[in-house]
Amino acid sequence: MAEQDNRYRERLLESGLKVTRQRLALLAAISQSETPLTAEELFMRLRRDFATLSLSTVYRALDTLCEKKMVSRSVLMDGGRAMFEIAPETHGHNLICTVCHKIVPIQGCPLRDYEDSLARSTGYVISGHKLEVYGVCPQCQSKSHAV
Amino acid sequence: MAEQDNRYRERLLESGLKVTRQRLALLAAISQSETPLTAEELFMRLRRDFATLSLSTVYRALDTLCEKKMVSRSVLMDGGRAMFEIAPETHGHNLICTVCHKIVPIQGCPLRDYEDSLARSTGYVISGHKLEVYGVCPQCQSKSHAV
DNA sequence: GTCTTTGCAAATCATTTGCATGGAA
DNA sequence: TTCCATGCAAATGATTTGCAAAGAC
């Protein structure tokens, strides 16, 4: 825990950012969650032991951390609010259950080769992509059978 | 034009929706655009020859038409506002220029086989996905060279 | 005539911004 | 000490909702 804390401390400094309690707490909270969280969710979690924290600080810190690639932002199907997760070192995507909204990472990305062929066929210089896959997880499948 | 109008008329009726001027105008406007449009953009286009139209009608009609699969909604990278396009009969995705924000459709989808293998490896029943690819279009590439 | 759809205005939700204070380097 | 970061409150932007009037079937 303290080691991880120090890793974040270093990365903040490397990025030219100041090490603040709120940023460290944010990074700790995001990294402790297995699924991406909304700004509001993070705010509520941190509020427990950080009474004076402000929601706009959460938004500002998330913006900054996204710029520095320490955190990444994804968008859910409904289009409502943004979700945040620790930027994974290996590029990948999420698989989202449309029933319970559980989010699990998919390891690997099926689009590397595709991007190359797309670049060739369109003349675009491809810079990236956003992919989310939707489905029903095994647990929710068995629940619906049980009814 | 009148033929297309009639096709939409039918599809509305089939879906159990009433055929209204505003819905027909909306469908016409969306189908006449080569790129997806925001609700606001549609509103402004329709306002030209439809002075009393209300923005909330546009939102409501778009919601309804998305439910009935006549229109589809996509999300831009920045996460701001939703964009709408006529639901394509063949599943495909968009390629978005990060400089001029031009949006062009990509024919074909690289993920069909991938979804099958993902279903096998995860136990999920895959229902769909959202994919957007980002890059710089040939025009914007040459413009930046020119500088 | 009945039930849906619309227009308008007000409400809501997520996110952003201005500004003075507080805190890290 | 010098800026960057934070807290608070107010602003913004996109989208939604309540309600009465208008329109489609």
Side-chain angles (χ1 to χ4, degrees), chain A:
Chain A
M1 182 110 188
E3 1 167 331
Q4 198 180 51
D5 208 71
N6 280 328
R7 196 159 64 232
Y8 290 138
R9 207 176 274 275
E10 278 173 36
R11 300 217 28 205
L12 287 169
L13 290 171
E14 283 166 20
S15 302
L17 299 176
K18 305 213 159 151
V19 177
T20 66
R21 284 188 309 155
Q22 19 284 82
R23 281 171 181 167
L24 287 176
L26 239 187
L27 287 166
I30 301 182
S31 66
Q32 277 158 32
S33 163
E34 334 81 45
T35 87
L37 298 170
T38 64
E40 184 80 33
E41 285 166 342
L42 282 163
F43 173 63
M44 291 188 304
R45 292 185 187 211
L46 295 188
R47 258 273 161 105
R48 289 178 200 157
D49 30 35
F50 213 128
T52 83
L53 181 71
S54 137
L55 182 54
S56 47
T57 297
V58 173
Y59 276 108
R60 274 191 278 229
L62 287 171
D63 273 356
T64 310
L65 295 173
C66 282
E67 265 172 39
K68 301 304 184 183
K69 312 284 189 202
M70 297 180 66
V71 168
S72 67
R73 185 193 310 256
S74 60
V75 204
L76 264 196
M77 187 164 228
D78 53 83
R81 60 236 124 143
M83 309 211 66
F84 301 87
E85 61 192 321
I86 289 290
E89 28 251 60
T90 60
H91 173 82
H93 300 287
N94 286 319
L95 175 53
I96 302 165
C97 178
T98 54
V99 178
C100 68
H101 300 105
K102 180 172 51 192
I103 301 174
V104 303
I106 304 169
Q107 76 266 61
C109 169
L111 293 167
R112 280 284 113 122
D113 295 341
Y114 178 68
E115 285 193 349
D116 290 344
S117 72
L118 192 62
R120 258 178 265 119
S121 63
T122 62
Y124 276 58
V125 174
I126 307 295
S127 57
H129 58 255
K130 246 190 193 339
L131 169 65
E132 284 169 351
V133 184
Y134 303 94
V136 181
C137 70
Q139 290 76 31
C140 289
Q141 289 171 46
S142 44
K143 265 178 218 149
S144 70
H145 290 157
V147 176

Side-chain angles (χ1 to χ4, degrees), chain B residues 13 18-19 55-56 59-60 81-82:
Chain B
L13 290 171
K18 305 216 157 151
V19 177
L55 181 55
S56 47
Y59 276 108
R60 274 191 280 228
R81 60 237 121 144

